[in-house]
Amino acid sequence: MAHVSMVLNGKRVSGTVEDRTLLVAFIRENQGLTGTHVGCDTSQCGACVIHVDGKAVKACTMLAAQADGTEVVTLEGLAKGGTLHPVQAAFREHHGLQCGFCTPGMIMAAVDMIERHGAGNLDEATIRHELEGNICRCTGYQNIVKAIKAASDEMAGLQQAAE
Amino acid sequence: MGVDGIGARAVRKEDKRFITGKGRYTDDMTAQGMGYAAFVRSPHAHAKVVSIDSSAAEDMPGVDAVLTGEQLVGDGIGNLICGWMIHSKDGSPMNMGAWRAMEPEIVRFVGQAVAVVIADTAAQARDAADAVVVEYEELDAIVDAVAAMEDGAPQLHPEAPNNLIYDWEIGDEAAVNAAFEGAAHVTKMEITNNRLAPNPMEPRAALAIYDTAEEHFTLYTTSQNPHVARLVLSAFYAVAPEHKLRVIAPDVGGGFGSKIYIYPEEMVCLWASKRTERPVKWVSDRTEAFLTDAHGRDHNSVAEMALDADNKITGLRVKTVANLGAYMSLFSSSVPTYLYATLLSGQYNIPAIHANVKAVYTNTVPVDAYRGAGRPEATYLLERMMETAAREVGLSPAELRRKNFITEFPHQTPVIMCYDAGDYSATLDAAMAAIDYDGFAARKAEAASRGKLRGIGLSCYIEACGIAPSAAVGSLGAGVGLWESAEVRVNPVGTIEVLTGSHSHGQGHETTFAQLISERFGLDTDAVSIVHGDTDKVQFGMGTYGSRSGAVGMSAIVKALDKVEAKAKKIAAHLMEAAEGDITIEGGELKVAGTDKKLTFTEVALAAYTAHNLPDGMEPGLKEGAFYDPTNFTFPAGTYICEVEVDPETGTTDIISFVASDDFGKIINPMIVEGQVHGGLTQGIGQAMLENAAYDDTGQLLTASYMDYCMPRADDLPAEYRLSTHETLCPGNPLGMKGCGEAGAIGSPPAVINAITDAIGSNDLSMPATPEKVWQLCQTTTKAAAE
Amino acid sequence: MYETNYHRAGSVADAAALLAKADDGKLLSGGQTLLPTMKQRLAAPSDLVDVTKIAELKGICEDGNAISIGAATTHAEVAASDLVKQKIPGLAKLAGGIGDPAVRHMGTIGGSIANNDPAADYPSALVALNATVTTNKRTLSAEDFFTGMFETALDDDEIVTSVSFPAAAKSAYAKYPNPASRYAMAGVFVAQQADGSVRVAVTGAGQDGVFRVPEMESALASNFAPDAVAGISVSADNLLSDIHGSSAYRANLVTVMAKRAVEAAS
């Protein structure tokens, strides 16, 4: 058994799990945060994307034990003080979700994408390419791409206003 | 949210929970003392089950029980059913073999369950399932439907000689023969509609909870139609009487048809919960989903079209072999018959049509309705034929279609359907304008200068939705009526709950349905809740599939709203001492026309519940229910045009533009409708270019994960789908709605293939048009051009 | 996934000791291939030794005229490295095209080459750039390191510590992805050395993993231009064939990708 301790959405949590326990199972079953989903077995669909130490990773392709000592953020931890993250707000505004199942991974991947490229620096083709590891069956991606672009541009505006 | 009525692009009420991780899907549910199920599945496509030794598994840590098909049958659990009776052309009923939820004797497809382990954790259950030793005696397998009918082919079920389930026909064969005798031109094609795996992103799941004291079951499950699930589980599978079984379909992560059916696993969880006296949960993994979720399509057809000297179509002859897999799934029999052949007239005036459909058993997972269900197969066949005929007779594809369009309504086709309204030229014109059809030649030349092959392809589709008048489907063999129910409950403070038998698994009903109420009473959509997906809350409903929630589900709500409005007006008239006919509803208030007298909706609601001052004889309360049974199918139609560029060096096809012009009748929320079209188009493009559920000759599924089954991804698609709508109201329902959920998947595949074949100058292309296939054809055409 | 025992190694020596103690131990680096394989119960190591927290295995540094990349360096780190982008742009591009962003945050160069998936990208870069693989026991040339499909020269208890890539005058990688898995169906890395010599290495297509194409190399040595390789095709005999692409199709892709890599490098 592995004793696992991490900061999850700003709170220190710990638990004892089998060594084979995946990080996604620790988050969903041990910690009861069911916003992170599992949609495939081959690390391709991206429904489980979360941030570990500030980087997007697939929680289904990491052991909970590997995440010991890390800082983890899931979709539940994205909104601050009841205010939606601009990416969350943009997904709603642009109808970037239908059944909602891929949405957690999409939003977490989008936040990471915007951070890596810099707000305001994403174009349509880049976003599509960056979504290679996130599969959606409902939306045909068009509104997801629009939402990410809009959020990226809005975040650039917010940064500018703050400067 | 505000007052958002019909036509408003209202953002979705349900989104908040999904974008904050608070959605509640079946796998998110837990119950005290819950055990996990893991199934023991056949690795063989066809084999006798000789023995099952579970002794080692039973001794493993955390294992509660290992249960087999023999025990299931012994407990009186019924076989899985097919809910639509089809008769062969000789009048005989379809030949149906028994399908048990866990098979004790002969397995007939890879992945079929033979036993289940219940254990304390999912990992322990899986470990133990792997330790169950099943001895099989392998039998020859057959996966190709045409070959399965040949003498000497492996036989699946004793009830179905030559694996033939039915040999069905529709239309006037003699009239068609006569048309071909007098034809000036005949176009003939062999057309394959490739097999697909539906792949909603949420895999199927079930949590069954048995209450030993009440002898009552609760089932959380990934269903598009929880009431139908309860009906079938009770009436046919004998799991429990209806009043002792509550089925809840909470947030469901997509369905596309695949979650209509009541599968073995859900039933086994219920039964196992009673057997083990603990809640039992099962969650499919993706490979299990590929192996056991009903697949879609899989047709082989030969089609012939007769044209006269004026290029008018005079006859259509179609022979189709439909692969239904190893067992008959719930609606499987209806898909290649009444949902397929009845649409073979397309948007065209075709005086004579005859179709013969043979449905066949093979050693593959069952095939059933998948987004479009029969209509994509009909559209693909007809629109490939139209494009090919146009090329053969030297007319432009648009011209040939236009020449044959139906222009007067109602129009009775030779294959049952009576089209009620449409304007096919309008959608064709709009699509051609949107894609700048006239500028194509210049774009093709420009592409050629870069070494690329550019092509353009049309598809003019029609479909039948809103299924359907109950008496009509009953006469065609359906086992259920296909109406819908609704209940509108006005609370004493004027907020409203709408209970609906429709089920939302991505369609946005919580928003669209609320807009109807907002429109009617001028109330904020936040004052309205939509309740669905729970058999304890909603009395009955037929669920969501076949693009029926608008045309049928919302019509039921309208009927209930009419009753609520009438009663509210009566109360208001009584309270304000006015004539009932003078009461109008506006902005959340009931007013007496021509005066300044008014009451808020809340005041009227409160009056209904305090009942201190109601008209004589009126019952207190403000709550009304309605059942709505359609009077006809609805007929969404439109034109899709696809423009592609092919790289002849690699066979890569890029979709440069895709335009869609649809007639969905009345649209409530255009934003949601566009989302439905985007998703449908993407699934259609997936079928045309990427997706294929492939079995090898021994019945092993070669595409059992996303490593091999090619799901459309963001970068496979054009930069933007350009959509437009043209509205002709459906006369058959109160709102004039036709349905929009499936059109994209129905209309798009032929547009893509017509475009690629146009680009490469070869018509011999089957779906999916993989880079290798396209490259091979480019080799041939380049060589031919050089010679 | 079968039950396993997870260990976090603090040093290479520690990792070697843990591996030696295990029944059937395996090194866990990024885990982006190993963990999915274990989830599907196609691999069942008794022990996993996590090497990603070993400081000496991480990082990218200039080493004379070469770039040395620690085995536990992620694809994302290689792709984002200014040093790699400047000295061997083809390598940075290759790393930035492996898997998807989330996979690149975890997957490592050491893990990738030790697995030697015939459809992995890195082997082509190592062979074309004539890289040297350093382990806790020895150094090997890339060509000696890769021995066949999923096979390397590594002993059971041997640990890759770094890979050293000599800088190239020109380098580029072009791949044609499998439409479903997005792994390479044919990936061609072309590298020209300062002396004008050229190496062409192909991944994704060969039954035995990565291979060189001598005809293309000599053609490019005398004329480093896309046209020089456009007419050179490899034999389909030893190429992979599956539902996504026949060996003949893959052979065609090798030529086309070689041409495009040269174009990108020029």
Side-chain angles (χ1 to χ4, degrees):
Chain A
M1 300 295 273
H3 183 75
V4 178
S5 168
M6 64 185 72
V7 176
L8 177 58
N9 296 334
K11 275 192 240 168
R12 177 154 295 282
V13 302
S14 60
T16 302
V17 293
E18 285 186 327
D19 289 25
R20 63 175 155 175
T21 304
L22 295 168
L23 178 55
V24 68
F26 178 79
I27 291 168
R28 286 179 56 82
E29 287 157 33
N30 198 289
Q31 297 300 314
L33 293 178
T34 56
T36 303
H37 296 155
V38 178
C40 77
D41 329 319
T42 48
S43 311
Q44 290 173 289
C45 82
C48 66
V49 169
I50 59 168
H51 296 175
V52 175
D53 288 338
K55 292 194 173 97
V57 302
K58 292 184 168 171
C60 77
T61 315
M62 188 170 180
L63 299 174
Q66 282 176 284
D68 184 41
T70 62
E71 198 162 317
V72 173
V73 178
T74 69
L75 182 62
E76 289 96 329
L78 207 53
K80 294 277 176 276
T83 307
L84 293 176
H85 187 283
V87 174
Q88 290 173 306
F91 267 67
R92 177 163 67 175
E93 189 61 31
H94 295 274
H95 190 28
L97 62 149
Q98 290 181 26
C99 81
F101 196 79
C102 76
T103 310
M106 283 286 178
I107 290 178
M108 297 309 282
V111 171
D112 175 76
M113 185 191 308
I114 294 169
E115 277 168 11
R116 275 185 292 109
H117 288 264
N121 295 333
L122 285 169
D123 59 25
E124 181 263 341
T126 306
I127 296 168
R128 285 183 183 271
H129 178 66
E130 284 273 339
L131 288 176
E132 191 169 1
N134 291 83
I135 300 177
C136 170
R137 191 56 151 171
C138 294
T139 65
Y141 303 97
Q142 183 158 317
N143 289 344
I144 291 175
V145 174
K146 264 192 197 169
I148 296 173
K149 173 93 173 77
S152 166
D153 293 345
E154 196 206 321
M155 286 164 74
L158 290 174
Q159 276 173 11
Q160 233 167 20
E163 277 159 15
Chain B
M1 296 269 110
V3 179
D4 287 310
I6 292 173
R9 302 178 69 88
V11 299
R12 300 200 317 170
K13 284 159 61 73
E14 48 269 76
D15 282 356
K16 175 104 186 264
R17 65 178 185 272
F18 296 129
I19 58 177
T20 55
K22 303 293 184 192
R24 294 286 280 161
Y25 301 86
T26 298
D27 186 26
D28 302 340
M29 307 295 171
T30 55
Q32 192 68 34
M34 180 169 86
Y36 292 81
F39 285 87
V40 180
R41 299 188 180 281
S42 170
H44 306 295
H46 200 189
K48 276 188 188 146
V49 180
V50 178
S51 64
I52 299 176
D53 177 1
S54 57
S55 53
E58 279 162 8
D59 291 341
M60 289 175 69
V63 172
D64 194 342
V66 181
L67 304 171
T68 65
E70 206 171 312
Q71 290 164 303
L72 181 107
V73 173
D75 280 1
I77 299 296
N79 294 339
L80 280 82
I81 62 159
C82 178
W84 199 305
M85 171 55 73
I86 298 293
H87 287 84
S88 285
K89 59 188 182 186
D90 66 5
S92 62
M94 62 192 188
N95 303 318
M96 190 172 163
W99 184 11
R100 296 158 176 143
M102 293 194 293
E103 179 54 46
E105 292 173 278
I106 296 178
V107 288
R108 295 180 176 86
F109 66 94
V110 170
Q112 186 170 11
V114 296
V116 66
V117 175
I118 312 299
D120 293 343
T121 72
Q124 286 170 339
R126 185 74 264 151
D127 289 346
D130 284 357
V132 174
V133 181
V134 185
E135 190 190 333
Y136 295 99
E137 182 187 323
E138 273 192 77
L139 301 169
D140 287 340
I142 184 86
V143 300
D144 179 80
V146 175
M149 292 187 295
E150 288 167 10
D151 288 336
Q155 295 292 296
L156 270 79
H157 297 278
E159 296 87 349
N162 289 73
N163 298 310
L164 187 67
I165 299 168
Y166 53 71
D167 180 357
W168 175 89
E169 67 174 354
I170 190 171
D172 185 340
E173 191 170 15
V176 169
N177 290 342
F180 276 86
E181 275 161 29
H185 179 83
V186 172
T187 291
K188 180 173 182 179
M189 294 179 80
E190 281 182 37
I191 292 177
T192 302
N193 207 284
N194 47 325
R195 185 176 180 118
L196 303 175
N199 275 300
M201 292 316 296
E202 179 204 23
R204 284 191 293 123
L207 170 59
I209 304 166
Y210 181 65
D211 180 330
T212 52
E214 299 294 332
E215 297 178 348
H216 179 277
F217 293 87
T218 302
L219 176 68
Y220 290 92
T221 186
T222 48
S223 174
Q224 299 178 215
N225 43 348
H227 290 87
V228 175
R230 184 178 68 160
L231 172 68
V232 171
L233 286 162
S234 293
F236 298 97
Y237 303 169
V239 173
E242 277 174 291
H243 67 298
K244 294 288 188 185
L245 173 59
R246 177 184 186 184
V247 179
I248 302 170
D251 285 330
V252 173
F256 314 113
S258 72
K259 291 174 181 168
I260 296 173
Y261 324 116
I262 295 83
Y263 289 89
E265 291 83 1
E266 291 87 327
M267 191 209 302
V268 167
C269 284
L270 283 165
W271 169 70
S273 174
K274 185 175 180 183
R275 271 249 175 186
T276 59
E277 297 192 354
R278 71 192 296 193
V280 171
K281 185 192 238 185
W282 169 76
V283 181
S284 172
D285 64 31
R286 184 56 59 186
T287 290
E288 274 185 300
F290 274 110
L291 291 173
T292 66
D293 288 6
H295 287 179
R297 321 283 193 252
D298 205 343
H299 283 195
N300 283 287
S301 299
V302 178
E304 295 168 276
M305 181 183 276
L307 297 151
D308 69 12
D310 189 30
N311 295 312
K312 291 265 177 79
I313 307 165
T314 55
L316 180 68
R317 181 188 285 144
V318 177
K319 292 185 192 305
T320 294
V321 176
N323 188 344
L324 291 195
Y327 297 97
M328 296 189 69
S329 177
L330 193 66
F331 285 133
S332 60
S333 55
S334 65
V335 176
T337 50
Y338 292 112
L339 298 180
Y340 164 68
T342 56
L343 273 307
L344 285 170
S345 195
Q347 298 186 354
Y348 313 109
N349 197 343
I350 305 179
I353 298 174
H354 181 259
N356 170 240
V357 178
K358 294 186 171 79
V360 181
Y361 280 125
T362 63
N363 294 108
T364 61
V365 73
V367 176
D368 206 326
Y370 163 61
R371 201 171 195 168
R375 292 152 289 166
E377 295 91 318
T379 303
Y380 184 69
L381 181 141
L382 193 61
E383 290 305 291
R384 286 288 291 130
M385 291 289 285
M386 290 303 284
E387 200 86 1
T388 302
R391 289 171 190 169
E392 288 175 357
V393 301
L395 272 189
S396 88
E399 184 58 28
L400 181 67
R401 286 175 169 91
R402 216 183 282 278
K403 213 178 216 335
N404 286 282
F405 273 160
I406 294 161
T407 53
E408 286 174 22
F409 298 89
H411 173 86
Q412 178 64 53
T413 73
V415 278
I416 297 183
M417 293 298 179
C418 183
Y419 300 166
D420 51 10
D423 185 345
Y424 308 140
S425 292
T427 43
L428 175 61
D429 290 346
M432 289 178 72
I435 206 157
D436 181 22
Y437 200 92
D438 295 341
F440 173 72
R443 296 195 295 276
K444 188 176 175 74
E446 188 280 327
S449 74
R450 291 180 283 109
K452 299 290 169 66
L453 307 172
R454 201 139 170 147
I456 196 163
L458 274 73
S459 165
C460 298
Y461 77 90
I462 191 164
E463 56 153 334
C465 289
I467 176 171
S470 296
V473 296
S475 74
L476 300 177
V480 288
L482 288 167
W483 41 265
E484 196 46 86
S485 81
E487 189 176 309
V488 175
R489 293 203 301 227
V490 181
N491 296 314
V493 290
T495 58
I496 295 182
E497 279 138 7
V498 178
L499 285 70
T500 171
S502 297
H503 185 275
S504 186
H505 31 279
Q507 294 88 343
H509 293 171
E510 288 170 50
T511 305
T512 309
F513 290 10
Q515 285 179 253
L516 259 194
I517 285 76
S518 195
E519 167 94 14
R520 181 70 72 104
F521 297 132
L523 298 173
D524 196 304
T525 53
D526 272 349
V528 183
S529 288
I530 306 301
V531 179
H532 70 100
D534 184 341
T535 59
D536 261 17
K537 293 181 179 168
V538 179
Q539 190 224 332
F540 206 89
M542 298 312 299
T544 289
Y545 40 83
S547 307
R548 66 194 304 276
S549 299
V552 190
M554 289 178 82
S555 294
I557 296 173
V558 167
K559 273 187 77 176
L561 281 177
D562 288 344
K563 296 182 192 175
V564 168
E565 180 181 332
K567 186 168 180 183
K569 281 180 170 172
K570 272 198 180 79
I571 296 170
H574 176 74
L575 293 173
M576 293 189 282
E577 296 172 337
E580 205 181 310
D582 290 341
I583 305 292
T584 59
I585 300 184
E586 215 181 292
E589 293 172 333
L590 291 91
K591 302 177 175 173
V592 182
T595 76
D596 58 359
K597 285 205 236 176
K598 62 186 181 187
L599 288 167
T600 63
F601 189 77
T602 302
E603 287 170 316
V604 173
L606 193 61
Y609 285 94
T610 57
H612 295 164
N613 183 13
L614 291 178
D616 276 351
M618 180 184 274
E619 286 179 17
L622 194 52
K623 181 192 93 162
E624 299 289 347
F627 286 73
Y628 173 76
D629 200 341
T631 55
N632 191 3
F633 289 89
T634 66
F635 298 96
T639 293
Y640 293 165
I641 307 181
C642 177
E643 190 166 324
V644 300
E645 224 171 77
V646 172
D647 173 0
E649 285 191 333
T650 60
T652 309
T653 300
D654 283 326
I655 297 180
I656 306 297
S657 310
F658 200 108
V659 302
S661 175
D662 293 292
D663 179 356
F664 297 136
K666 177 64 78 188
I667 289 169
I668 309 298
N669 185 325
M671 179 192 82
I672 287 176
V673 168
E674 287 160 14
Q676 289 291 312
V677 177
H678 293 163
L681 292 177
T682 301
Q683 288 180 2
I685 289 169
Q687 166 162 35
M689 293 172 58
L690 306 167
E691 299 179 40
N692 195 38
Y695 284 88
D696 72 9
D697 290 344
T698 68
Q700 294 294 331
L701 184 60
L702 298 171
T703 51
S705 82
Y706 293 148
M707 294 296 281
D708 291 305
Y709 189 89
C710 188
M711 290 288 277
R713 272 172 271 205
D715 59 2
D716 291 318
L717 303 164
E720 188 179 19
Y721 298 123
R722 285 178 292 135
L723 315 181
S724 65
T725 53
H726 178 87
E727 179 181 297
T728 65
L729 292 180
C730 171
N733 61 62
L735 292 163
M737 298 179 76
K738 296 185 178 181
C740 66
E742 297 162 292
I746 290 168
S748 57
V752 175
I753 299 299
N754 287 339
I756 300 175
T757 53
D758 179 51
I760 63 179
S762 167
N763 207 29
D764 187 24
L765 180 64
S766 64
M767 297 191 291
T770 60
E772 175 168 16
K773 279 189 205 166
V774 173
W775 172 75
Q776 292 283 11
L777 290 171
C778 287
Q779 299 300 101
T780 319
T781 51
T782 316
K783 209 187 277 176
E787 277 160 10
Chain C
M1 188 182 295
Y2 293 107
E3 184 52 311
T4 188
N5 297 298
Y6 171 85
H7 312 272
R8 190 177 280 189
S11 67
V12 174
D14 186 19
L18 286 163
L19 211 49
K21 264 198 296 188
D23 260 359
D24 177 21
K26 250 194 173 315
L27 296 176
L28 175 65
S29 195
Q32 301 301 287
T33 302
L34 179 58
L35 291 175
T37 310
M38 289 173 68
K39 280 161 64 179
Q40 290 173 84
R41 299 190 168 224
L42 299 171
S46 64
D47 294 77
L48 290 174
V49 179
D50 185 346
V51 295
T52 59
K53 305 296 191 291
I54 302 173
E56 62 198 279
L57 293 187
K58 296 182 78 78
I60 301 166
C61 64
E62 202 163 4
D63 179 11
N65 194 34
I67 295 176
S68 175
I69 301 178
T73 308
T74 64
H75 310 323
E77 287 161 351
V78 175
S81 159
D82 287 334
L83 183 63
V84 180
K85 282 197 258 189
Q86 187 204 330
K87 296 272 185 187
I88 318 176
L91 182 62
K93 181 117 189 304
L94 175 147
I98 299 171
D100 59 59
V103 166
R104 291 195 286 274
H105 282 147
M106 290 294 288
T108 66
I109 186 168
S112 172
I113 65 170
N115 188 48
N116 196 19
D117 189 310
D121 299 299
Y122 263 130
S124 66
L126 267 71
V127 170
L129 291 163
N130 197 17
T132 305
V133 179
T134 302
T135 74
N136 57 338
K137 294 182 168 183
R138 54 181 166 160
T139 58
L140 305 95
S141 75
E143 280 180 284
D144 290 339
F145 181 84
F146 300 113
T147 55
M149 187 190 276
F150 295 108
E151 299 284 343
T152 68
L154 288 171
D155 294 334
D156 283 349
D157 58 348
E158 193 170 8
I159 301 169
V160 176
T161 55
S162 68
V163 184
S164 177
F165 293 92
K170 287 175 180 171
S171 68
Y173 179 63
K175 85 165 150 182
Y176 198 85
N178 173 319
S181 71
R182 301 291 179 104
Y183 274 81
M185 204 134 81
V188 179
F189 202 104
V190 174
Q192 186 190 43
Q193 301 306 317
D195 65 3
S197 67
V198 175
R199 282 178 164 231
V200 176
V202 178
T203 192
Q207 284 180 4
D208 298 322
V210 62
F211 65 92
R212 288 172 66 184
V213 189
E215 301 90 324
M216 289 186 180
E217 292 180 352
S218 51
L220 289 169
S222 47
N223 174 23
F224 195 83
D227 284 349
V229 291
I232 300 174
S233 52
V234 298
S235 163
D237 290 348
N238 293 315
L239 299 190
L240 292 164
S241 185
D242 56 30
I243 55 170
H244 305 288
S246 65
S247 50
Y249 180 58
R250 279 183 161 89
N252 169 66
L253 289 178
V254 170
T255 301
V256 177
M257 291 305 113
K259 203 169 78 171
R260 292 181 185 179
V262 173
E263 204 173 314
S266 302

